């Protein structure tokens, strides 16, 4: 696998990352709804920091304490030859709630009947327990919990069984410490996935650290896949790393540090 290493330019820290003493001491403990977020803080195509260009600002709307709309989306260009992502103001996500289900439809402005993609969640006791995505009709994702914290995701291929398992680990401050994922080996003879070896060295470890002490404003936005991992913690992580373990080696596949910007006792996920 080709090694990728993403590190945000230090100028961002000089321009936006400075915290005044007043900001540090004025920590808000009140939950609040995030209105805007820059793409640099989000995860797209399994990579943080993809949308680092200026102007990639997503806007969120709420009703009765729930998110109902996201303005702004991501479009894929030259997907077959040189896949790339670009922010678009022409896309929006509409979120609807009905009984024990949540549906997210990605649409195109000025085209009433357009539905470019769809995600559906099933809830039990107000927790997401299942996810299906129209762009991947093979997989169903199952969620498992310990208390209120997600502890495991299992990706089930409808034809071949469980193909991936991700385990979530938290620190004592209820912040996500790491996600450890293992992928099953496919047996071409049976056309099924072999049982996942949880003790295998071969794995992907996502590490979250450099947390602040500020309230995480993305907790209601975890229904959007690009904000799911950021929404799981009490506070806000300032660094993300993806470490690949093979049978013999270990290497960093991604490393991203985020400009932690604060104003009036709140973190600002926009620059």
């Amino acid at each position: 696998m080709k090694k990728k290493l993403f590190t945000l330019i230090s100028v961002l820290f000089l321009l936006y990352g400075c915290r005044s003493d007043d900001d540090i001491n004025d920590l808000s403990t009140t939950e609040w709804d995030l209105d805007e977020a820059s793409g640099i803080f989000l995860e797209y195509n399994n990579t943080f920091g993809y949308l680092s260009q200026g102007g990639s600002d997503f806007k969120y709307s709420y009703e009765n304490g729930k998110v109902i709309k996201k303005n702004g989306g991501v479009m894929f260009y030259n997907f077959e030859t040189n896949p790339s992502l670009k922010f678009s103001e022409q896309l929006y996500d509409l979120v609807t709630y009905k009984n024990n289900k949540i549906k997210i439809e990605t649409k195109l402005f000025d085209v009433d009947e357009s539905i470019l993609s769809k995600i559906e969640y099933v809830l039990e006791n107000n927790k997401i327990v299942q996810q299906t995505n129209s762009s991947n009709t093979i997989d169903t994702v199952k969620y498992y919990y310990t208390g209120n914290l997600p502890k495991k995701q299992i990706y089930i291929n409808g034809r071949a069984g469980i193909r991936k398992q991700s385990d979530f680990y938290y620190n004592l401050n209820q912040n996500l410490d790491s996600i450890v994922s293992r992928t099953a080996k496919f047996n071409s003879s049976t056309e099924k996935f072999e049982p996942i070896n949880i003790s295998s060295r071969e794995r992907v470890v996502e590490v979250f650290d450099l947390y602040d002490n500020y309230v995480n404003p993305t907790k209601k936005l975890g229904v959007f896949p690009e904000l799911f991992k950021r929404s799981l913690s009490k506070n806000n992580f300032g660094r993300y790393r993806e470490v690949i373990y093979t049978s013999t080696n270990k290497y960093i596949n991604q490393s991203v540090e985020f400009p932690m910007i604060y104003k009036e006792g709140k973190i600002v996920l926009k620059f």
Side-chain angles (χ1 to χ4, degrees):
M1 181 182 297
K2 184 178 179 180
K3 181 178 179 181
K4 301 176 289 181
L5 182 62
F6 295 89
T7 303
L8 300 182
I9 302 173
S10 59
V11 173
L12 287 173
F13 293 91
L14 295 175
L15 292 177
Y16 306 104
C18 299
R19 314 179 198 176
S20 69
D21 290 339
D22 290 339
D23 286 340
I24 290 291
N25 295 326
D26 185 21
L27 300 186
S28 173
T29 58
T30 303
E31 291 189 7
W32 55 287
D33 294 334
L34 183 70
D35 296 323
E36 294 183 75
S38 294
I40 202 170
F41 296 96
L42 281 54
E43 180 188 26
Y44 277 98
N45 204 28
N46 299 318
T47 303
F48 279 96
Y50 243 34
L51 300 176
S52 58
Q53 71 269 23
S56 57
D57 294 331
F58 300 81
K59 298 177 174 61
Y60 306 94
S61 302
Y62 302 82
E63 186 177 278
N64 299 322
K66 297 179 179 179
V67 63
I68 58 169
K69 190 177 183 181
K70 178 186 76 177
N71 285 335
V74 172
M75 303 189 76
F76 290 83
Y77 288 85
N78 302 321
F79 188 76
E80 292 183 357
T81 57
N82 184 25
S84 59
L85 299 172
K86 186 175 181 181
F87 174 79
S88 174
E89 294 181 345
Q90 300 304 309
L91 297 175
Y92 70 96
D93 284 356
L94 189 65
V95 186
T96 56
Y97 303 83
K98 185 176 181 180
N99 299 326
N100 66 328
K101 293 184 178 180
I102 301 174
K103 181 170 63 177
I104 301 178
E105 295 176 326
T106 300
K107 297 188 175 185
L108 191 64
F109 276 109
D110 299 326
V111 184
D112 292 338
E113 300 302 319
S114 66
I115 300 178
L116 304 183
S117 66
K118 181 168 62 177
I119 300 173
E120 291 187 341
Y121 297 102
V122 176
L123 307 180
E124 286 183 7
N125 299 319
N126 294 319
K127 300 186 186 77
I128 294 173
V129 294
Q130 180 174 297
Q131 173 187 341
T132 55
N133 193 326
S134 63
S135 64
N136 184 356
T137 56
I138 296 176
D139 275 358
T140 297
V141 184
K142 300 281 189 178
Y143 295 77
Y144 300 86
Y145 296 81
T146 297
N148 291 320
L149 298 176
K151 294 294 289 185
K152 181 165 58 177
Q153 277 180 302
I154 291 180
Y155 298 76
I156 303 173
N157 182 293
R159 295 194 295 262
I162 296 174
R163 70 167 183 85
K164 179 181 176 182
Q165 177 174 318
S166 296
D167 294 283
F168 298 74
Y169 299 91
Y170 299 83
N171 61 29
L172 294 178
N173 293 325
Q174 297 181 17
N175 289 323
L176 186 64
D177 175 82
S178 58
I179 300 175
V180 180
S181 299
R182 290 180 170 87
T183 302
K185 297 184 185 299
F186 185 74
N187 187 321
S188 57
S189 299
T190 63
E191 296 187 346
K192 302 285 185 181
F193 287 107
E194 298 288 351
I196 294 175
N197 181 2
I198 300 301
S199 301
S200 170
R201 174 183 166 82
E202 297 179 10
R203 64 198 188 276
V204 177
V205 180
E206 299 172 85
V207 181
F208 307 80
D209 58 10
L210 299 185
Y211 279 94
D212 61 16
N213 294 318
Y214 287 72
V215 169
N216 181 354
T218 70
K219 285 184 172 292
K220 294 180 182 179
L221 303 177
V223 292
F224 300 118
E226 69 273 13
L227 274 169
F228 172 67
K229 293 172 185 174
R230 190 169 283 282
S231 74
L232 296 177
S233 298
K234 177 181 178 181
N235 305 118
N236 308 280
F237 61 84
R239 180 169 60 184
Y240 169 86
R241 287 170 291 163
E242 182 185 75
V243 185
I244 307 293
Y245 290 83
T246 68
S247 59
T248 57
N249 296 313
K250 164 189 172 183
Y251 64 90
I252 296 176
N253 194 46
Q254 294 183 52
S255 180
V256 184
E257 291 191 19
F258 302 93
M260 308 300 282
I261 311 160
Y262 302 91
K263 185 177 180 181
E264 298 176 355
K266 297 178 180 178
I267 186 170
V268 182
L269 297 182
K270 182 179 182 300
F271 67 93

